[in-house]
Amino acid sequence: MRRGASHRQVLRSGGEHDLPGVGLQRKTDFVFGCQTKETGLFVTQLADGIMGMSAHPSTLPRAMYDQGKLEHNMFSMCFRRELHVSKQGIVAGMLTLGGIDSRKDFAPMVYARNVAKSGWFTVFVKNVFIRDKGGQSAKADGPHQTAERIHVDLYAMNSGKGVIMDSGTTDTYLHESIAEPFERVWQRVTGRTYSNAPVKMNEKDLLLLPTVLVQMAAYDDTPPPEKDMGKYPGLAGHVSPQSPQDVLLAIPATHYMEYSPSKGTYTPRIYFTETAGGVIGANAMQGHNVLFDWENQRVGFAESSCEYAEEAMTVTEDGVMSVDCRLGAPSLSVSCSESADLSRCDENQQGGAVDTTPLNGLEIWTRVVQSPGTPHGKTCEEVSQDQNVENGGGDMEVNCDGKGVCREVRQCTISCANAIAHGVDSGAKDNGLSPIGSCGVETWSACGYTCSQTKINSVLMSDGKCHEEKSTEATRPCHVQACGRSDPCRVPFVVHAIMKIHGAVASRWDQHSEEIFTEAFAGTMNERRRGMRLLFHPGDVVVLNASPWRASDDTVFGTTSLEGEDEELGMQLVVETSLFNPNAELPPVKGSGNNNNMPLATCHERDLQPLTNKASDIHKKLAQQNFIDLMMERMKKNKALGEKQNSPFYYTFEDRSLAKKSQVVTSWTIKTDIGIGSSKIDFNYLSTGDLTMDILLIISLGGFIGYLCWSLRLVAWWKGELDLGPHHTQRRGKHRKLRSSTNGNYSEGDDDTVNALADDDDTIYSVRTAASGMSEMSTISERGESQVSIGSLSAYLAKVSGK
């Protein structure tokens, strides 16, 4: 019970790990409930309040979206697989507002349809299974595990409010109609009765208890190619072959059995008590990154470790949070002596006097952009000017070129004597300066909005300043960060890969290591390819996460369970590769050179086919057994590596057997259209010839198919096999209720629940437009063709006419 009143306050989202000023930029007017009395569980449980996260306008995500603090009307929650809690709290996972952070995910996200038009996020449950011998993933550990289907009355299960996804409910509650068939199968599988009474058992016995699998209707009715199904443990193809595109949520015993440290008992927390609908609670969401996407009417699930780390708070490039540009240390490019007018100096002073005539000049300092920031953050020019004021500098002009470099121009004064002593060229050997050290390892700048990045080498000179070595400046193409997946026409697809490298040390990972890795990764991938046949460039690769790989990562008990599980085996890398569309039409740049918030490019569907072929080639290359071994050998030969013993891969270099047993765990392709309207398919981009040919092709195909069908109909009638009599004419009703037998064997059409609609069927199976948004799926067929394209000509017409 709660008692209190509501108050409107200003909320600043952020915390101790947030970046300076970010909380101020995310101020939100929000109505709080101020409690004056608490009873019951609010007194004894860990949580002493509730924060609503539904689609209601009064909830925090919706309020932040409505007030322009979030770019997308979505959020994600990732709950760790913790068995123990304390009143002091635990690091339980991550909450991401406005998007999703997939760096801790084990597999690509799969999407169930949100069937509700308002209120709670609601899924349509089609089946429930019990799988023997446990397992943490929706994918079985091996052929020794079998899943038995529970008889489900679809109408009862999804009646009333439906089956809601509610993280505010600790446990899971399903419809009372499946209690008896569930208990019958449970008894057959375990040899014991199912009840919600506490029981004593050890951890190994807990792992052998059955895993409950919940099948939910898919958001997209098109499954990935059969050869790629193994990359999607969250799809239902292996238990429901007729609906392979459906989502399968695994609830292992380590999630539904609640442990009591004081009593040493486990209590089952799946209840069958609901008279209408059901609730999939927080215990079912554990070990999953769950995306609540009201913008696209879907709920996403990805199996994940959900491990919180400080780097997980780093703001991503998708504009979810407001982050300022970050600049590196300045290097002197043009000195005051170079720009001063030495003609005013008298080099023949009488009596050896020093010419102290003051000369006005300009100093040009170069700074590398380390991070471009997000659209609502401070631009690189603004950051540079603010830092100049803080340091007590005078007037200064700043120009950032969009290639990852900013030039600061400052006024300066120098005497004739000093100008002559330093020489006209600050980099010349006879300018009175000598190198005394390095300014640190030089790395590539962030990827600018021009899809270029720059590397500048600086040398510490005897005047105590870092001087740029202009002859070593380099520029290369890139398609990440400011020129990345946030513009779906420029980067329609990205490929994710998870690698586990034996012997690598994650604590040694830094930006220099990442650059050595990305060059070797691209080089190995492009081996024997030249020019236009290159799959991608090093600037198209970014490492999303580099973390220790421990033996305990594949278990749920962490460091306190089985002996040896805390052993660090190596390093796990999550690698993202952008596939750039060279045919994207870029809009003209307006204003100054900053452009944190660039307008989106336009493109055509036909641009995508070559990119799907590239994605297919990347997956094939990653599947080679010796890919990591070849990459390590290439990395060792890189002259920029430096001292090998400082590399995170030193031990892998020294013992090649470690490289040979390292592996690419999985890889998948992500379609980057984040939200309706984020990408812009320009119908006007079609030329008259294109449009005419497309329409003629459609008409021709339509005529041919119509002729073929009519011909077959006539043949059947001629042979007497088609009876068109009125007594054979039967129109089926709009809806057909499915029935299944209690033994789990379904009759024809039972598993294809396209026809199994509730009374307001349009909430479940409404027509979906082409602008689906943020589709994360492998789209490569046997020929490398996209199975889910941006849309057909008719979809374009519908989309354009709706604008």
Side-chain angles (χ1 to χ4, degrees), residues 142-205:
H144 63 285
Q145 292 178 317
T146 58
E148 188 168 349
R149 184 181 300 170
I150 308 298
H151 166 64
V152 173
D153 185 328
L154 292 175
Y155 292 92
M157 173 67 79
N158 297 281
S159 61
K161 66 181 180 300
V163 180
I164 67 172
M165 300 291 301
D166 186 14
S167 61
T169 301
T170 307
D171 304 327
T172 293
Y173 299 83
L174 299 179
H175 195 268
E176 60 184 6
S177 64
I178 71 168
E180 184 178 340
F182 183 93
E183 291 169 3
R184 190 162 50 247
V185 175
W186 180 276
Q187 174 77 35
R188 190 157 57 243
V189 171
T190 66
R192 65 182 74 176
T193 58
Y194 181 86
S195 76
N196 297 110
V199 293
K200 285 186 175 289
M201 63 175 61
N202 58 39
E203 292 174 345
K204 291 185 177 180
D205 290 336

Side-chain angles (χ1 to χ4, degrees), residues 190-368:
T190 66
R192 65 182 74 176
T193 58
Y194 181 86
S195 76
N196 297 110
V199 293
K200 285 186 175 289
M201 63 175 61
N202 58 39
E203 292 174 345
K204 291 185 177 180
D205 290 336
L206 178 69
L207 287 173
L208 292 176
L209 283 179
T211 295
V212 177
L213 305 172
V214 180
Q215 180 182 347
M216 296 171 277
Y219 171 70
D220 187 345
D221 292 331
T222 305
E226 184 176 354
K227 68 184 181 64
D228 290 330
M229 289 295 291
K231 299 176 181 177
Y232 295 83
L235 292 183
H238 55 287
V239 295
S240 181
Q242 296 91 339
S243 299
Q245 74 279 7
D246 282 347
V247 172
L248 197 65
L249 178 66
I251 315 175
T254 49
H255 297 178
Y256 66 73
M257 298 291 284
E258 182 183 10
Y259 179 67
S260 171
S262 61
K263 300 177 182 178
T265 58
Y266 291 91
T267 303
R269 295 299 186 186
I270 297 179
Y271 298 90
F272 304 95
T273 55
E274 298 298 287
T275 57
V279 180
I280 295 179
N283 62 346
M285 300 181 201
Q286 277 185 274
H288 293 87
N289 201 356
V290 184
L291 174 67
F292 296 87
D293 182 1
W294 198 265
E295 187 171 300
N296 296 300
Q297 285 293 293
R298 61 186 180 175
V299 182
F301 300 87
E303 295 181 2
S304 177
S305 68
C306 302
E307 292 179 352
Y308 174 86
E310 188 168 338
E311 72 268 16
M313 296 297 292
T314 302
V315 181
T316 63
E317 66 196 41
D318 292 332
V320 174
M321 299 180 185
S322 180
V323 180
D324 297 341
C325 168
R326 189 172 72 251
L327 298 172
S331 297
L332 185 60
S333 301
V334 177
S335 67
C336 202
S337 62
E338 289 180 83
S339 60
D341 183 7
L342 298 183
S343 65
R344 296 177 53 197
C345 299
D346 185 359
E347 298 185 22
N348 300 312
Q349 288 282 329
Q350 295 181 356
V354 176
D355 188 352
T356 59
T357 304
L359 301 175
N360 293 324
L362 296 174
E363 285 184 342
I364 301 180
W365 295 78
T366 300
R367 302 184 70 177
V368 167

Side-chain angles (χ1 to χ4, degrees), residues 346-612:
D346 185 359
E347 298 185 22
N348 300 312
Q349 288 282 329
Q350 295 181 356
V354 176
D355 188 352
T356 59
T357 304
L359 301 175
N360 293 324
L362 296 174
E363 285 184 342
I364 301 180
W365 295 78
T366 300
R367 302 184 70 177
V368 167
V369 178
Q370 296 178 338
S371 172
T374 52
H376 302 293
K378 289 183 180 180
T379 67
C380 295
E381 285 95 336
E382 291 170 340
V383 169
S384 175
Q385 291 284 10
D386 288 350
Q387 292 178 353
N388 181 56
V389 172
E390 291 174 5
N391 295 329
D395 293 339
M396 183 182 73
E397 294 181 4
V398 186
N399 176 52
C400 298
D401 61 5
K403 298 179 180 179
V405 170
C406 291
R407 312 278 182 183
E408 300 175 343
V409 182
R410 300 187 180 105
Q411 295 180 354
C412 61
T413 302
I414 189 172
S415 68
C416 279
N418 287 334
I420 293 171
H422 290 163
V424 176
D425 185 359
S426 64
K429 294 181 179 179
D430 58 352
N431 63 0
L433 299 177
S434 59
I436 60 174
S438 170
C439 291
V441 176
E442 300 301 330
T443 54
W444 288 99
S445 70
C447 187
Y449 63 88
T450 63
C451 299
S452 300
Q453 57 187 164
T454 304
K455 178 185 283 188
I456 293 174
N457 188 42
S458 299
V459 178
L460 182 63
M461 305 297 283
S462 55
D463 61 353
K465 299 176 181 177
C466 286
H467 289 247
E468 178 190 353
E469 288 190 316
K470 301 173 188 175
S471 61
T472 62
E473 182 175 324
T475 303
R476 73 180 185 185
C478 60
H479 302 100
V480 295
Q481 295 169 322
C483 185
R485 59 186 293 180
S486 57
D487 190 340
C489 272
R490 286 210 273 194
V491 180
F493 302 103
V494 295
V495 176
H496 274 203
I498 297 178
M499 301 180 181
K500 291 185 176 180
I501 302 177
H502 278 276
V505 182
S507 59
R508 296 182 181 178
W509 184 264
D510 56 17
Q511 187 175 351
H512 178 63
S513 303
E514 179 173 348
E515 292 184 2
I516 298 296
F517 172 85
T518 56
E519 288 180 10
F521 180 79
T524 307
M525 193 67 69
N526 290 314
E527 193 172 17
R528 298 177 184 173
R529 291 176 176 266
R530 297 291 183 271
M532 297 299 294
R533 295 184 64 248
L534 293 177
L535 296 173
F536 54 85
H537 297 276
D540 300 332
V541 183
V542 62
V543 177
L544 299 179
N545 184 259
S547 57
W549 167 33
R550 294 187 173 90
S552 58
D553 288 345
D554 297 327
T555 70
V556 295
F557 298 110
T559 61
T560 60
S561 179
L562 306 178
E563 184 178 355
E565 284 196 337
D566 196 40
E567 178 187 1
E568 188 168 325
L569 303 178
M571 179 165 58
Q572 177 174 286
L573 298 175
V574 181
V575 184
E576 179 180 277
T577 303
S578 298
L579 298 184
F580 173 63
N581 174 19
N583 298 317
E585 291 283 316
L586 303 180
V589 178
K590 298 180 181 179
S592 64
N594 176 57
N595 291 285
N596 261 8
N597 193 10
M598 284 288 291
L600 297 174
T602 58
C603 57
H604 190 274
E605 182 184 5
R606 64 176 171 232
D607 299 339
L608 304 186
Q609 181 59 49
L611 301 180
T612 60

Side-chain angles (χ1 to χ4, degrees), residues 39-50:
T39 60
L41 288 176
F42 284 102
V43 177
T44 58
Q45 70 181 7
L46 181 60
D48 58 2
I50 291 178

